[in-house]
Amino acid sequence: MDGEALIASRTGAITRGLPALVAARGYENVERVVTDRPEDREHGLPPATLDQVTDAVDGTEDTYIVVDGDLHPGQALDLRARLPGATVRDRNGAVWERLRGANRVADVRFELRQCRIERLAAAQADRDAAASGPSGSSGRRADLERRRDELRTRLDECRRAAGERVANGYRNVDGRVVLVGRPGTATADCWAALTGADPPTPAGRPARATTATVDIGPHTVAVTETPGIPGDGGVPAYVETVAAGTLEAIEQADLVVGVGAGTGSLVESLSDRTDAACRRRSDADGIRETVLGTLDTVVYRLHLPYGDATHALVAELHDDALVRDVAYDDEVVVCVEVSAAAADALARRVDDLGGGAEPGQGRNEADTVQEDTP
């Protein structure tokens, strides 16, 4: 992408993950202006910080400037006037803009934000015109107000649709696992390794919760990758407002896994809003072991009569379960570990064949799995 990118902070630090999201828009270098000063009511940035930003972008064109904080529409408008050659976003707008395209909630949320800024600009233009002489409204303000109301309605619809997409999907699975992390490729690497899906994508992708099924041991598991969450704590409000689907996936999960650096506080925060087991892991193998230790299994010793139906069942068990041993004597004896969710169905099928199923002890090692990510 042509032009420069710059992040300005007045709090003494840059939000974790924000530079990666900005760089993923195509900027090779993301400049930073970091100060520790009180907020200015007019521009949001303190005068000294704004002067540094102005100097940094002087002589450049198409600069993409992100204020690492919240700007109300008036401040965004004033900054736009102060920096006419730049595209100005606050942190919220930058995150929503990065998620646009594949996330309809972020699409509408970003457009609604810009509509409010343009409505304020139209109102100011009407006031300026009235001050210089008799003048009526240009009509643009009324158009933008209608557009704002339309977007509010669409936002509710998109949020509801995103939640329903997750709630109604992947019902026939033994468990649900959700991967969470900071912006980057850590979750994408693990998700691709677990599911065999496409290779990892840049920061800010996927733009919405993305799910695939995978067999892990005797379990068929829905594994969901989620957009990276900026910051050092839990899910910030500006992410939560466009995370429809992600939050529903977390609420339905049996296991939530924080992947990569900086996820300790995120996992801790999510543990307060879900009944799922919450863990941190650094690679796909660790996630597989944690899934096996979290989802319940049952061990059966099956006694089966000889016949085509028995051979068909044994073949299916080799594909869908963990067959520990098969012995052929007066009858076929199979020692098999199956998902607890499939145990009753297996016992009924064995009974229909005229056989018997002796339950043994399954495994659930969730309490013995140790954290392995610093």
Side-chain angles (χ1 to χ4, degrees):
M1 180 176 288
D2 295 333
E4 302 289 336
L6 181 147
I7 301 175
S9 170
R10 62 171 180 79
T11 62
I14 299 289
T15 297
R16 179 195 288 268
L18 186 58
L21 290 173
V22 174
R25 289 179 52 81
Y27 298 104
E28 292 186 5
N29 297 308
V30 179
E31 299 293 330
R32 307 183 189 196
V33 173
V34 180
T35 60
D36 190 0
R37 297 174 182 270
E39 178 182 355
D40 177 71
R41 297 178 114 185
E42 181 179 4
H43 297 107
L45 290 174
T49 309
L50 182 54
D51 288 342
Q52 290 185 47
V53 172
T54 303
D55 292 342
V57 302
D58 185 36
T60 64
E61 296 181 357
D62 301 323
T63 307
Y64 186 79
I65 297 175
V66 178
V67 176
D68 193 356
D70 300 333
L71 296 175
H72 62 65
Q75 290 173 328
L77 202 58
D78 290 336
L79 271 178
R80 190 168 72 180
R82 178 69 183 270
L83 302 163
T87 297
V88 179
R89 305 281 187 250
D90 65 359
R91 179 179 52 206
N92 304 6
V95 172
W96 298 339
E97 190 169 28
R98 177 58 189 150
L99 298 178
R100 292 187 75 193
N103 182 325
R104 287 296 298 142
V105 179
D107 267 334
V108 178
R109 195 69 187 84
F110 178 81
E111 190 175 348
L112 180 59
R113 162 78 173 172
Q114 297 307 110
C115 183
R116 286 170 173 159
I117 295 172
E118 295 305 323
R119 173 188 170 277
L120 181 58
Q124 289 183 356
D126 286 346
R127 286 195 297 269
D128 292 343
S132 61
S135 175
S137 171
S138 66
R140 176 165 170 73
R141 179 179 178 182
D143 290 342
L144 288 166
E145 287 174 348
R146 284 192 292 270
R147 180 60 176 162
R148 177 197 60 193
D149 294 341
E150 292 172 358
L151 289 170
R152 284 173 173 169
T153 300
R154 189 188 302 174
L155 181 61
D156 291 338
E157 294 171 351
C158 290
R159 283 173 173 163
R160 185 165 52 252
E164 290 174 353
R165 176 178 60 86
V166 171
N168 297 329
Y170 298 94
R171 292 181 179 275
N172 298 320
V173 294
D174 301 326
R176 299 169 185 261
V177 178
V178 178
L179 309 183
V180 298
R182 302 302 182 186
T185 61
T187 58
D189 287 341
C190 285
W191 189 75
L194 287 168
T195 65
D198 292 337
T201 51
R205 294 293 185 271
R208 65 178 190 175
T210 303
T211 304
T213 58
V214 60
D215 291 331
I216 299 179
H219 306 287
T220 298
V221 182
V223 182
T224 299
E225 182 192 4
T226 60
I229 298 172
D232 292 305
V235 182
Y238 61 89
V239 172
E240 190 160 333
T241 192
V242 296
T246 294
L247 299 180
E248 282 80 0
I250 290 171
E251 289 171 359
Q252 294 185 9
D254 299 288
L255 174 66
V256 176
V257 182
V259 182
T263 57
S265 56
L266 177 59
V267 169
E268 182 178 356
S269 171
L270 293 175
S271 69
D272 294 331
R273 62 191 302 170
T274 178
D275 294 330
C278 295
R279 303 286 188 268
R280 288 186 296 152
R281 295 293 177 263
S282 59
D283 55 40
D285 288 341
I287 294 172
R288 290 189 187 96
E289 288 300 317
T290 306
V291 169
L292 292 174
T294 301
L295 301 181
D296 291 332
T297 62
V298 174
V299 174
Y300 278 121
R301 180 174 290 277
L302 307 179
H303 300 269
L304 302 167
Y306 283 93
D308 292 340
T310 290
H311 292 307
L313 174 59
V314 172
E316 290 179 26
L317 292 175
H318 276 288
D319 290 336
D320 301 331
L322 292 179
V323 176
R324 295 182 175 181
D325 184 56
V326 180
Y328 295 92
D329 199 353
D330 295 336
E331 58 184 359
V332 180
V333 180
V334 182
C335 184
V336 62
E337 183 177 357
V338 299
S339 165
D344 289 344
L346 175 61
R348 288 193 297 270
R349 187 169 175 185
V350 170
D351 186 62
D352 290 343
L353 291 176
E358 298 177 4
Q361 183 177 2
R363 62 172 174 172
N364 186 332
E365 302 167 349
D367 294 335
T368 65
V369 178
Q370 302 297 315
E371 301 282 337
D372 67 357
T373 302

